[in-house]
């Protein structure tokens, strides 16, 4: 069974750093891209960026370039999303999602989400 | 502002056929597969339709997808109360070099 399991709820202060994780299981982790998707409270879905776990190549949406860093550890079958300095506007639900068999595709499996609250 | 355009809401009574539209451009829907996702309240999105009109195993056959040019639609025949959810269309965008989404349609079953 394919599963993406994300790290838990986070409550942080503005200016703090954070890394959240997404662990894949039930499939060959290096064979499928992983993306991160943001959902602001009560809003739609926004693609942030993706990683190819086989070589750690990443690309980002222009809206998130420079604001976050995506990385991966294929030995742990885990992808990460990192902020160096959080802002209140980063308060949202964050999902990791696995791309389908074709690289230029959308997502077939999703993590359960990580809720981030940034508040002073 | 989402790249793909969906109506914000749709509704139907139990048993009715409901359709949700989604329009894009030549760089996304016009040249790549369309996907549809269902997001029940408080849960992660779930794949409903992939490659324009394919259903993953476990998705009821009352859900169907179609695509024509730069537009796509999701149809739910015989809508049920448990279908109340937000529905999102998505497609790879060749300009962005990543997936783009519609803003979502909230389905209400009256």
């Amino acid at each position: 069974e394919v599963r993406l399991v994300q790290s838990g709820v986070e409550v942080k202060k503005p200016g703090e750093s954070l890394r959240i994780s997404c662990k894949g299981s039930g499939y060959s982790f290096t064979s499928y891209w992983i993306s991160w998707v943001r959902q602001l409270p009560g809003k739609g879905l926004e693609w942030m960026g993706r990683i190819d776990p086989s070589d750690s190549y990443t690309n980002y949406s222009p809206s998130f370039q420079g604001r976050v860093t995506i990385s991966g550890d294929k030995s742990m079958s885990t992808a990460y999303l990192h902020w160096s300095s959080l802002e209140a506007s980063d308060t949202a639900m964050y999902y990791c999602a696995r791309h389908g068999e074709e690289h230029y595709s959308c997502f077939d499996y999703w993590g359960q989400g990580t809720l981030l609250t940034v508040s002073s | 502002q989402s790249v793909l355009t969906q109506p914000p809401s749709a509704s139907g009574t139990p048993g009715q056929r409901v359709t949700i539209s989604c329009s894009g451009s030549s760089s996304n829907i016009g040249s790549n597969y369309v996907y549809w996702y269902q997001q029940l309240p408080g849960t992660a999105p779930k794949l409903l339709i992939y490659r324009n009109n394919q259903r993953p195993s476990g998705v009821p056959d009352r859900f169907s997808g179609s695509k024509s040019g730069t537009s796509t639609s999701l149809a739910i025949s015989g809508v049920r109360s448990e279908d109340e959810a937000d529905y999102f269309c998505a497609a790879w965008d060749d300009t962005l070099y990543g997936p783009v989404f519609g803003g979502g349609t909230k389905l209400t079953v009256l």
Side-chain angles (χ1 to χ4, degrees), chain A residues 3-8 19-25 27 29 33-36 51 53 70-74 76-81 94-98 109-114:
Chain A
R3 293 191 72 197
L4 296 174
V5 178
Q6 298 183 226
S7 49
R19 188 180 77 168
I20 62 175
S21 65
C22 168
K23 183 173 176 62
S25 63
Y27 73 99
F29 186 71
W33 294 354
I34 293 284
S35 274
W36 288 93
I51 185 168
I70 296 171
S71 61
D73 182 342
K74 58 185 177 183
M76 300 287 289
S77 298
T78 300
Y80 302 97
L81 179 64
Y94 293 88
Y95 295 102
C96 64
R98 190 187 86 162
Y109 289 93
W110 296 69
Q112 83 279 16
T114 296

Side-chain angles (χ1 to χ4, degrees), chain A residues 33 37 39 44-45 47 50 59 62 95 99 101-108 110-111, chain B residues 32-33 35 37 39 43-47 51 88 90-92 96-99 101 103:
Chain A
W33 294 354
V37 176
Q39 187 168 36
L45 304 168
W47 177 70
R50 63 95 180 173
N59 75 287
Y95 295 102
H99 287 252
E101 287 182 351
E102 304 98 358
H103 278 174
Y104 307 117
S105 67
C106 294
F107 314 115
D108 56 3
W110 296 69
Chain B
N32 295 291
Y33 288 127
Y35 294 68
Y37 300 95
Q39 188 175 33
T43 69
K46 169 193 161 187
L47 179 63
R51 293 183 188 169
F88 295 92
W92 182 269
L96 178 65
Y97 200 66
F101 292 96

Side-chain angles (χ1 to χ4, degrees), chain B residues 29-109:
Chain B
I29 293 176
S31 53
N32 295 291
Y33 288 127
V34 172
Y35 294 68
W36 285 93
Y37 300 95
Q38 178 192 59
Q39 188 175 33
L40 297 167
T43 69
K46 169 193 161 187
L47 179 63
L48 211 54
I49 297 289
Y50 67 102
R51 293 183 188 169
N52 303 334
N53 54 19
Q54 302 299 300
R55 281 187 311 276
S57 60
V59 172
D61 60 6
R62 66 176 185 277
F63 292 94
S64 63
S66 63
K67 172 181 145 176
S68 177
T70 59
S71 294
T72 184
S73 63
L74 173 72
I76 310 172
S77 57
V79 71
R80 299 182 180 184
S81 58
E82 58 259 38
D83 298 332
E84 274 206 347
D86 292 323
Y87 292 85
F88 295 92
C89 58
W92 182 269
D93 188 282
D94 295 331
T95 302
L96 178 65
Y97 200 66
V100 291
F101 292 96
T105 298
K106 184 175 186 63
L107 174 64
T108 302
V109 181

